[in-house]
Amino acid sequence: MKFGILVNEGPFTHQASDSAYHFVKAAIEKGHQVMRVFFYYDGVYNANKLSAPQSDDRNLVKMWGELGSEHNVDLVVCIAAALRRGIVEDNLADGFRISGLGQLTEVGIAADRLVVFGD
Amino acid sequence: MAETEIEFDTAGITKKFMYVNRKAPYGTIYALEVLEAVLISAAFEQHACIVFIDDGVYQIKKGQNTDAVNMKNFSKTYGIIAMEKEDADEDEDMDMVWRIIVEKESMEARGLTADDFVIDVEVIASTELAAIMAEQEIVISG
């Protein structure tokens, strides 16, 4: 199955991004395709390269980037949501790209299922 | 931008999108950012139900004045959704149906009527709304 993923929360206040990460990982392991993960609302904070969690804690920003590069998953950060939260090319973490909201609609149309993680 | 844009072929596909607005217009950013997502999606000419439920019904209430909280009053922007809907309704060549729906129970519990909104809406009871929701292919909420 072809999945699109929408992540609506940042990596720290909510578990949504962790859950999305584990879902994507499990789906790929099961042989499904994840066409795109779209980061919206505070979800754009998942792409903040300056984020520095304590060393004994998981680092979701890094984990997303690695998962994306390893399995060729398109990690897209919404530009409108990102700009107002100070996520720009300069501090965009590896593996992510910034693009428009149309990319969300597009993956909704192209994928078999769009799975939403957030409140 | 450093990396190449990845595009999927969506030509000729029309799906049923539902946007569920559940939160008050101010206090959190969800209402504004769902609105932005709805407006951008219009370019893709998909079917869409824009639903207002719970405190989300306040998003389209007439007479909003945000001066005291120093927030941008974006209630007028919902008029663009109504315009997109009208355009789609009038254009016979366009296979795009938009519905603007307020959940009856949420509206009544807050002492509101359909006349209190900045745009024309369909008022639909929760049981019927649940059936409409079940028919959707993509549900995005905020």
Side-chain angles (χ1 to χ4, degrees), chain B residues 49-70:
Chain B
C49 290
I50 297 100
V51 180
F52 299 90
I53 184 171
D54 298 341
D55 277 351
V57 300
Y58 289 127
Q59 293 177 22
I60 50 171
K61 188 170 177 317
K62 279 179 188 163
Q64 295 179 25
N65 182 343
T66 57
D67 291 349
V69 286
N70 194 27

Side-chain angles (χ1 to χ4, degrees), chain A residues 9 35-36 40-41 74 81 84-85 89 96-99 101-103 105-106 108-109 111 114 116 119, chain B residues 1 3 5-8 10 13 15 17 22 29-30 33-34 36-37 40-41 44 46 138-139 141-142:
Chain A
E9 298 291 347
M35 301 178 81
R36 175 174 294 153
Y40 197 37
Y41 308 103
D74 191 24
R84 60 166 65 99
R85 291 170 178 84
E89 291 291 339
F96 293 84
R97 65 187 181 91
I98 296 179
S99 190
L101 261 171
Q103 301 264 301
T105 311
E106 189 194 67
I109 299 167
L114 181 76
V116 185
D119 266 4
Chain B
M1 275 173 216
E3 293 173 51
E5 199 84 344
I6 294 165
E7 273 185 43
F8 303 128
T10 56
I13 308 173
K15 284 196 173 177
F17 282 72
R22 299 172 299 160
I29 200 166
Y30 295 98
E33 291 197 320
V34 171
E36 288 177 349
I40 294 287
S41 76
F44 289 82
Q46 302 293 302
I138 292 120
V139 180
S141 68

Side-chain angles (χ1 to χ4, degrees), chain B residues 68-131:
Chain B
V69 286
N70 194 27
M71 299 291 288
K72 182 165 81 174
N73 179 352
F74 55 90
S75 59
K76 286 185 183 69
T77 314
Y78 291 96
I80 299 174
I81 292 180
M83 274 167 52
E84 295 283 0
K85 176 187 155 46
E86 272 173 41
D87 288 349
D89 289 346
E90 284 166 13
D91 188 344
E92 286 174 8
D93 297 329
M94 205 189 276
D95 177 30
M96 162 174 148
V97 178
W98 276 27
R99 298 177 70 178
I100 305 170
I101 297 170
V102 166
E103 192 214 34
K104 187 168 184 278
E105 288 82 351
S106 300
M107 180 185 82
E108 290 178 351
R110 287 160 183 81
L112 300 171
T113 70
D115 294 333
D116 291 313
F117 301 127
V118 293
I119 45 176
D120 289 337
V121 299
E122 295 176 60
V123 177
I124 289 180
S126 67
T127 45
E128 195 187 332
L129 184 57

Side-chain angles (χ1 to χ4, degrees), chain A residues 5-25:
Chain A
I5 307 291
L6 174 59
V7 178
N8 286 340
E9 298 291 347
F12 302 113
T13 312
H14 292 259
Q15 197 188 323
S17 179
D18 288 271
S19 302
Y21 174 85
H22 292 300
F23 180 91
V24 170
K25 210 161 175 269

